[in-house]
């Protein structure tokens, strides 16, 4: 099959205000403009509240706030009916690392380090470990961090709205946060 690059594209920033369904309703207009392909911003499941979509947390589904699978199908069908091609912005390294609780594979890597079954999904130079997670505010101290959870379900380290896993066996109740932080596969910075 031979594929040719489209002669013209029209980019749509898909978000909760311009959903995939809304984009489907624009296909007649875009065809009249002479557009050959619709180029849409990332549509995979992004971190909660993401407007741009480049902080993907689940590569297996279309973002519900952007229209979900039904919206995607509506756009595909509408574009095909008008003879328009579709280009989707998918950037493999644009995964949302600031919200690991929403990204199971990233949570696993932070919790289990090189023992995680997802370790190959990420481009990590383990010779420079630990992983640096740039989420702390400029004036943050260990007092701003909180340990939550229980031994059965596991523990996590919390900073503001951010949640991070604590590796199994690295926390004994009563441990100071400063010591606990040094035993993780990541450093909050």
């Amino acid at each position: 099959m031979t594929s040719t690059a489209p002669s013209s594209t029209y980019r749509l920033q898909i978000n909760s205000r311009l959903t995939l369904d809304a984009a489907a309703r624009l296909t007649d207009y875009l065809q009249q403009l002479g557009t050959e392909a619709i180029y849409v911003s990332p549509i995979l499941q992004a971190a909660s509240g993401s407007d741009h979509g480049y902080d993907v947390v689940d590569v297996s589904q279309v973002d519900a706030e952007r229209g979900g699978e039904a919206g995607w199908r509506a756009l595909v069908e509408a574009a095909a009916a008008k003879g328009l091609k579709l280009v989707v912005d998918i950037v493999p390294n644009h995964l949302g690392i600031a919200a690991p609780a929403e990204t199971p594979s990233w949570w696993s890597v932070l919790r289990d380090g090189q023992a995680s079954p997802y370790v190959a999904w990420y481009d990590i130079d383990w010779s420079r470990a630990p992983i640096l997670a740039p989420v702390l505010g400029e004036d943050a101290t260990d007092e701003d961090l909180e340990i939550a959870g229980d031994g059965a379900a596991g523990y996590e380290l919390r900073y503001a709205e951010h949640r991070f896993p604590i590796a199994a066996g690295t926390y004994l109740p009563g441990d100071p946060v400063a010591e606990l932080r040094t035993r993780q596969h990541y450093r909050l910075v």
Side-chain angles (χ1 to χ4, degrees):
M1 172 192 265
T2 303
S3 178
T4 59
S7 60
S8 61
T9 60
Y10 195 101
R11 186 181 189 282
L12 297 175
Q13 181 67 40
I14 304 298
N15 53 41
S16 61
R17 294 175 311 283
L18 179 64
T19 64
L20 293 162
D21 290 307
R25 291 189 297 273
L26 292 174
T27 55
D28 188 49
Y29 170 71
L30 295 174
Q31 181 193 41
Q32 290 174 18
L33 285 178
T35 302
E36 189 176 332
I38 301 170
Y39 170 39
V40 295
S41 61
I43 61 169
L44 298 177
Q45 186 64 50
S48 299
S50 173
D51 197 43
H52 50 75
Y54 284 96
D55 45 359
V56 172
V57 295
D58 187 347
V59 298
S60 69
Q61 60 183 319
V62 178
D63 193 305
E65 290 181 24
R66 288 168 172 71
E69 186 68 30
W72 172 243
R73 288 177 192 218
L75 177 57
V76 168
E77 289 171 10
K82 297 296 179 184
L84 300 170
K85 297 177 182 179
L86 279 170
V87 178
V88 181
D89 191 343
I90 297 176
V91 181
N93 67 342
H94 282 178
L95 290 173
I97 64 164
E102 294 185 51
T103 312
S105 61
W106 184 235
W107 184 270
S108 173
V109 169
L110 292 178
R111 183 190 60 221
D112 303 325
Q114 294 180 63
S116 168
Y118 303 101
V119 72
W121 287 22
Y122 297 88
D123 185 15
I124 299 170
D125 181 355
W126 288 101
S127 71
R128 299 178 62 132
I131 299 167
L132 299 181
V135 296
L136 297 180
E138 188 174 315
D139 297 329
T141 66
D142 285 337
E143 287 76 37
D144 297 319
L145 303 173
E146 173 188 349
I147 300 168
D150 60 47
Y155 294 98
E156 51 185 55
L157 194 56
R158 295 182 179 173
Y159 170 71
E161 74 276 8
H162 303 287
R163 297 171 45 212
F164 295 88
I166 293 176
T170 64
Y171 174 62
L172 300 172
D175 272 358
V177 171
E179 283 184 34
L180 175 66
R181 289 177 63 192
T182 65
R183 295 190 295 263
Q184 304 311 306
H185 298 287
Y186 60 91
R187 294 291 177 274
L188 302 180
V189 295

